[in-house]
Amino acid sequence: MTDIGYNAFYGCRNLTNLTIPDSVKFIGESAFEDCSGLESVDLGDGVEYIDEYAFFDCTNLKRVRVGRNVRHIDNEAFCGCDKLEEVQIDDLAAWCRIFFYEPEPDEEAPGHDYALSNPLRLAHRLYLNGELVEDLTIPDGVTSIGQY
């Protein structure tokens, strides 16, 4: 399996912990939307693309581990995850390469917070290899860090 499709687990409220295997590359739109029991997500290192609203309204999500090959996190992927406390990563340079959705000027709509494609916007705590990041050194080779 390489894809988790559109609405695949939408509203699955009894799901508490989720581990996406390394074989999965794509998480579809609203794949886990409204999974209100979900507390922890571990995105395998194979995941490259997280589509819009993938974890929208996972109201009890507290922890997400972002794999080292994620390249794109789309529109409001983590919107409504108000209990999110920590984002865990294994590779800071890989994190800096992620493209977080940014709307075209004519796409912006009132009431939408496009910055919520980045789970760190809610969690406010970044962990690198299990350690809370309190001092940050941008790794050599990082030439730019995008918006959001």
Side-chain angles (χ1 to χ4, degrees):
M1 170 174 69
T2 60
D3 293 1
I4 297 175
Y6 170 80
N7 283 342
F9 295 92
Y10 183 101
C12 187
R13 292 184 174 94
N14 60 332
L15 181 64
T16 56
N17 297 299
L18 173 65
T19 300
I20 306 289
D22 291 344
S23 61
V24 172
K25 294 185 180 310
F26 178 84
I27 299 173
E29 180 181 336
S30 300
F32 297 95
E33 182 175 338
D34 198 27
C35 291
S36 59
L38 193 58
E39 295 180 6
S40 176
V41 172
D42 187 339
L43 300 168
D45 284 334
V47 175
E48 296 174 5
Y49 192 102
I50 301 168
D51 207 352
E52 61 184 353
Y53 314 115
F55 297 96
F56 188 91
D57 268 351
C58 290
T59 55
N60 285 303
L61 185 60
K62 294 178 180 83
R63 183 192 75 81
V64 63
R65 179 192 165 269
V66 178
R68 64 182 69 237
N69 289 311
V70 171
R71 298 289 183 253
H72 186 108
I73 301 179
D74 214 336
N75 181 25
E76 296 186 355
F78 292 93
C79 187
C81 301
D82 298 329
K83 292 186 180 174
L84 195 58
E85 298 171 356
E86 60 186 69
V87 175
Q88 297 183 358
I89 62 172
D90 299 327
D91 184 339
L92 184 57
W95 174 260
C96 291
R97 287 190 297 268
I98 295 174
F99 175 83
F100 295 103
Y101 177 82
E102 53 189 270
E104 297 294 325
D106 61 335
E107 284 184 295
E108 293 188 26
H112 287 266
D113 189 347
Y114 297 102
L116 292 179
S117 60
N118 184 341
L120 191 54
R121 174 90 186 279
L122 291 163
H124 304 292
R125 290 187 194 103
L126 180 64
Y127 289 79
L128 177 60
N129 297 312
E131 297 288 324
L132 178 63
V133 175
E134 296 179 284
D135 297 305
L136 183 66
T137 302
I138 304 298
D140 288 337
V142 173
T143 58
S144 69
I145 299 173
Q147 296 186 78
Y148 301 117

